Amino acid sequence: MAFSRIGPSDSRSATELAHYRARLHAWLDVNHEELAPRYPPPGTLDDHIAQMQRVKSILFDAGWMQFGWPERSGGRGGPPMLRTELGAALAARDLTDPGLFSLIEVLAPTLIEFARPELAGEVVPRLLSGAELWCQGFSEPHSGSDLASLRCRAVPNGDARTASTWVINGQKVWTSLAQYSDRCVLLTRTGLADSRHRGITAFFVDMKTPGISVRPLEMINGEREFAEVFFDNVVVPADRMLGQLNGGWSVAMSILPYERSSCFWQRIAYLYRRLQRLVDVAPQDDRTAEVVGDAFLKLHALRARSRATQHRLAETGTLGAETSIDKLLVATTEQATYDAVRRLLTGMVEMDDSVAGEVWRSEYLYSRAATIYGGTAEVQRNIIARRLLGLGSDE
Ligand SMILES: Cc1cc2nc3c(=O)[nH]c(=O)nc-3n(C[C@H](O)[C@H](O)[C@H](O)COP(=O)(O)OP(=O)(O)OC[C@H]3O[C@@H](n4cnc5c(N)ncnc54)[C@H](O)[C@@H]3O)c2cc1C
């Protein structure tokens, strides 16, 4: 099937955004059959990943995946809101898993900011087109919330300033999609053990490099979505360093605000759909009205906050500690939505073996992780208290 190509449009005005949205939905309507999942629901993680990469490839060929990304990295320009609109449209139509799709939003902006321009120009289009997947190697068995204590070590072959290669040894854990990934944005210790955030360097590592082994871990919902990753004398070219030597903390700090905010726009679109589904199948009574009404208000507040964040990103080009508010809101709203499901569909989450029951159960269980991944709710509250409200330091 031939896809109609869309013309260039990088306007920042609301009218043009509405125009973009209308054209996008018209195109999705026309190509719905081609884009629709090919597996029986609910599908496995393998199915969801294959579907996402297939959809990305079709969208890339038609020119949609490139909107909102800078031209120097293979994009077509325009504000980042264009890409979150795309993610939301896909989530609203059940064409891709919103959590998986949003990973683009977490890692690509950082590659564009910190990688050599030639490297970003080569690999970002591969991520957008579904030719590759990337993962984020931050957490370690003893370094999660206290990320600055990480120990996975990179040592230069020779002098640190002139070495052509680095050798990496250590372990990461909870690395989402590591077993499917072609590359990893990896944080390593390059300074002294107690140098904390001043002695960390980021690398963009090919996952097929000899010495890397991946051991998938099963989550509470039965999916093997994340993994342990082991590095045993892994040789990485020096030109794969992201940012400055010992400047990896800046790389991490640039990723986290995206991971805590702009990537959630499609998640929000999906939560609206699930709440609507709950309304469709729950008893039509006052209790449903009250429970759903409460979840809806939370969701609406989250959407308003997220919309404001999108506009701030478009205007200033950066995000910071204030995104901890978005992360806290998305985590508590997601859990409130699935708590509503559990309260209103009696026994469904616990015992129902139908496809619908399986999906509600899996999503309910996954929602428990929302207050952990991307930084726990307690850590977000600390950031809000310390850095936004000025209530003292952690030191
Ligand atoms: C589904 C999922 C996907 C993930 N994907 C990735 C990934 O792709 N890449 C990656 O690098 N990591 C990933 N993670 C890991 C995640 O970032 C960490 O789990 C998280 O940062 C918490 O670290 P931890 O598990 O070591 O818990 P810990 O840091 O040991 O925390 C344990 C408990 O102590 C609390 N706590 C810790 N410090 C403080 C403090 N200062 N004040 C108050 N309370 C505190 C925490 O809130 C938590 O309740 C993922 C996690 C999940 C659940």
Side-chain angles (χ1 to χ4, degrees):
M1 177 174 195
F3 296 97
S4 49
R5 287 194 68 86
I6 46 176
S9 161
D10 63 355
S11 167
R12 280 146 212 269
S13 75
T15 316
E16 291 203 356
L17 186 61
H19 182 57
Y20 166 87
R21 194 183 298 131
R23 289 174 72 193
L24 171 61
H25 279 282
W27 186 88
L28 290 171
D29 284 345
V30 170
N31 294 292
H32 184 77
E33 221 172 283
E34 191 70 21
L35 293 161
R38 303 271 167 81
Y39 51 83
T44 63
L45 182 58
D46 286 355
D47 291 332
H48 294 158
I49 287 180
Q51 165 70 4
M52 174 179 70
Q53 297 299 71
R54 197 176 65 80
V55 166
K56 277 161 65 178
S57 156
I58 296 170
L59 291 166
F60 189 89
D61 287 348
W64 289 105
M65 282 303 293
Q66 296 90 324
F67 277 107
W69 297 101
E71 286 161 18
R72 66 178 189 283
S73 308
R76 300 179 69 177
M81 245 182 282
L82 299 183
R83 53 196 206 225
T84 40
E85 284 291 340
L86 174 62
L90 299 178
R93 291 162 179 260
D94 255 344
L95 295 177
T96 59
D97 177 287
L100 298 178
F101 191 80
S102 69
L103 291 176
I104 304 171
E105 200 57 42
V106 175
L107 296 175
T110 297
L111 244 285
I112 291 168
E113 187 178 347
F114 290 96
R116 287 179 295 111
E118 311 79 59
L119 178 61
E122 177 196 331
V123 298
V124 169
R126 294 185 62 75
L127 182 70
L128 298 180
S129 68
E132 290 191 0
L133 265 186
W134 304 348
C135 60
Q136 177 186 356
F138 283 20
S139 305
E140 298 182 5
H142 301 285
S143 304
S145 303
D146 185 16
L147 188 60
S149 68
L150 65 87
R151 288 188 274 194
C152 179
R153 178 158 280 283
V155 176
N157 262 327
D159 180 74
R161 304 272 159 198
T162 55
S164 59
T165 56
W166 289 70
V167 181
I168 297 175
N169 281 287
Q171 186 198 336
K172 296 290 169 179
V173 70
W174 319 126
T175 315
S176 296
L177 308 183
Q179 67 274 38
Y180 297 96
S181 291
D182 303 280
R183 329 254 193 176
C184 180
V185 175
L186 185 72
L187 292 184
T188 63
R189 166 84 39 212
T190 43
L192 297 174
D194 61 356
S195 55
R196 293 188 56 82
H197 57 269
R198 284 181 302 279
I200 292 171
T201 302
F203 288 92
F204 189 56
V205 178
D206 290 348
M207 290 295 282
K208 289 200 174 66
T209 314
I212 297 181
S213 45
V214 177
R215 197 156 66 194
L217 295 166
E218 189 170 306
M219 302 194 303
I220 193 173
N221 67 356
E223 296 285 11
R224 290 168 162 247
E225 191 186 291
F226 50 28
E228 295 175 291
V229 186
F230 301 90
F231 297 83
D232 184 12
N233 288 323
V234 174
V235 178
V236 178
D239 64 5
R240 288 304 189 82
M241 190 182 287
L242 300 177
Q244 301 294 315
L245 173 63
N246 292 327
W249 194 248
S250 307
V251 178
M253 290 304 102
S254 104
I255 287 182
L256 291 180
Y258 287 96
E259 188 177 7
R260 290 173 181 167
S261 65
S262 56
C263 77
F264 289 124
W265 193 245
Q266 52 255 53
R267 185 98 207 134
I268 295 168
Y270 186 71
L271 288 178
Y272 272 107
R273 287 202 53 212
R274 297 307 276 158
L275 205 54
Q276 181 57 53
R277 182 71 195 139
L278 175 61
V279 171
D280 293 344
V281 297
Q284 305 293 305
D285 57 21
D286 289 350
R287 184 159 171 269
T288 297
E290 192 185 327
V291 172
V292 169
D294 188 44
F296 182 80
L297 281 179
K298 287 191 170 68
L299 192 49
H300 210 61
L302 167 65
R303 188 173 192 278
R305 169 75 192 179
S306 191
R307 173 57 89 187
T309 301
Q310 304 288 333
H311 280 284
R312 212 170 46 255
L313 178 61
E315 280 154 23
T316 65
T318 53
L319 296 170
E322 75 287 352
T323 55
S324 286
I325 297 174
D326 302 55
K327 175 66 192 14
L328 195 55
L329 284 178
V330 83
T332 47
T333 302
E334 175 147 349
Q335 293 188 350
T337 303
Y338 288 99
D339 285 343
V341 171
R342 187 160 173 237
R343 284 177 69 189
L344 295 176
L345 305 183
T346 311
M348 178 69 104
V349 164
E350 291 84 355
M351 296 191 299
D352 194 296
D353 284 333
S354 66
V355 168
E358 242 181 82
V359 174
W360 284 123
R361 179 161 46 254
S362 178
E363 293 184 355
Y364 174 86
L365 292 172
Y366 197 84
S367 73
R368 303 303 103 177
T371 42
I372 303 175
Y373 58 69
T376 69
E378 290 79 10
V379 167
Q380 305 317 308
R381 289 193 176 96
N382 280 352
I383 294 171
I384 293 166
R386 311 286 194 218
R387 295 183 53 195
L388 301 182
L389 301 175
L391 299 175
S393 89
D394 276 331
E395 302 298 324

